[in-house]
Amino acid sequence: MKKILGLVFSHRKLGNSELLVKEIMGRVPGENSLELIRVTDMKLEPCRACYYCLRHPECNMKDDFNFIIKKIREADAVVMGAPVYLLGIHGYYKMFTDR
């Protein structure tokens, strides 16, 4: 059984991003373990450029980033969905990828 993780970077519950992530996850063939995380419901702080992560396997900041990264590492596949507002990526997605 494969573990499939869905990450939604939208504040709109059951919005287009979440619906698309769920649809993709549900269409993966075979019997799979599905988990969905709404990243916008979690606490994420902007990167402080402390470079702690270059010397250690985890980030030093006290937020939910390490929890999300742990889930990604455990997953066999990750499906991410994020809305585009004003021709740019969503702020939570940007904070997440900066970390």
Side-chain angles (χ1 to χ4, degrees), residues 51-79:
Y51 300 118
Y52 182 88
C53 61
L54 297 178
R55 299 179 308 278
H56 302 88
E58 292 186 343
C59 180
N60 191 35
M61 295 173 59
K62 304 298 182 222
D63 62 5
D64 293 322
F65 179 76
N66 289 327
F67 170 78
I68 298 169
I69 289 298
K70 181 178 179 249
K71 290 291 189 178
I72 290 173
R73 287 183 178 139
E74 292 171 353
D76 295 303
V78 179
V79 180

Side-chain angles (χ1 to χ4, degrees), residues 38-51:
R38 290 186 187 92
V39 180
T40 52
D41 288 346
M42 309 199 85
K43 181 182 177 195
L44 270 186
E45 298 289 332
C47 180
R48 294 186 192 143
C50 68
Y51 300 118

